[in-house]
């Protein structure tokens, strides 16, 4: 098994995220840590397996308010503590919001 490679900082946070799976399944989970490339969620497995495509919906601060960001992702790890997601390609607006969030104090 190949070791996970990280290309940005990973910030430990307490943030809620909605994970959409298979159009009929959505659940709100707690994010344990977040990076530009993925997230570690405190979650029950609920049938998610590594390789499962999902959509992570984040609410992040933008300018004077908050913006909703839909990020395509894949489940890369499932264990007794939760689920790890690796983000796929997302838009520039989401990238800017994540950078501002992760690199702020």
């Amino acid at each position: 098994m190949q070791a996970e490679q990280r290309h940005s900082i990973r910030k430990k946070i307490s943030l809620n995220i909605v994970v959409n799976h298979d159009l009929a399944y959505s659940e709100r989970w707690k994010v344990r840590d977040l990076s530009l490339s993925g997230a570690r969620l405190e979650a029950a497995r609920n049938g998610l397996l590594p390789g499962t495509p999902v959509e992570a919906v984040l609410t992040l601060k933008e300018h004077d308010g908050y913006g909703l960001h839909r990020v395509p992702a894949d489940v890369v790890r499932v264990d007794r503590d939760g689920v790890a997601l690796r983000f796929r390609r997302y838009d520039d607006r989401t990238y800017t919001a994540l950078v501002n969030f992760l690199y702020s104090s």
Side-chain angles (χ1 to χ4, degrees), residues 28-74:
R28 182 179 302 272
W29 289 336
K30 179 176 273 190
V31 177
R32 301 303 295 183
D33 57 60
L34 180 69
S35 75
L36 292 175
S37 60
R40 178 87 171 126
L41 310 178
E42 181 179 299
R45 291 190 241 176
N46 294 336
L48 292 178
L49 300 172
T52 303
V54 296
E55 177 186 59
V57 183
L58 299 156
T59 303
L60 298 170
K61 188 169 183 167
E62 291 184 303
H63 309 290
D64 295 330
Y66 288 86
L68 194 64
H69 299 272
R70 297 179 177 277
V71 182
D74 293 308

Side-chain angles (χ1 to χ4, degrees), residues 9-94:
I9 68 166
R10 184 165 289 267
K11 187 172 188 177
K12 291 189 181 301
I13 60 166
S14 181
L15 175 75
N16 288 325
I17 188 173
V18 173
V19 175
N20 297 325
H21 171 249
D22 199 21
L23 299 177
Y25 174 82
S26 293
E27 188 163 342
R28 182 179 302 272
W29 289 336
K30 179 176 273 190
V31 177
R32 301 303 295 183
D33 57 60
L34 180 69
S35 75
L36 292 175
S37 60
R40 178 87 171 126
L41 310 178
E42 181 179 299
R45 291 190 241 176
N46 294 336
L48 292 178
L49 300 172
T52 303
V54 296
E55 177 186 59
V57 183
L58 299 156
T59 303
L60 298 170
K61 188 169 183 167
E62 291 184 303
H63 309 290
D64 295 330
Y66 288 86
L68 194 64
H69 299 272
R70 297 179 177 277
V71 182
D74 293 308
V75 175
V76 292
R77 189 173 59 252
V78 178
D79 58 33
R80 69 174 187 250
D81 297 323
V83 175
L85 302 180
R86 179 180 305 127
F87 297 150
R88 293 193 308 264
R89 197 175 257 309
Y90 49 85
D91 61 32
D92 291 341
R93 181 179 150 258
T94 298

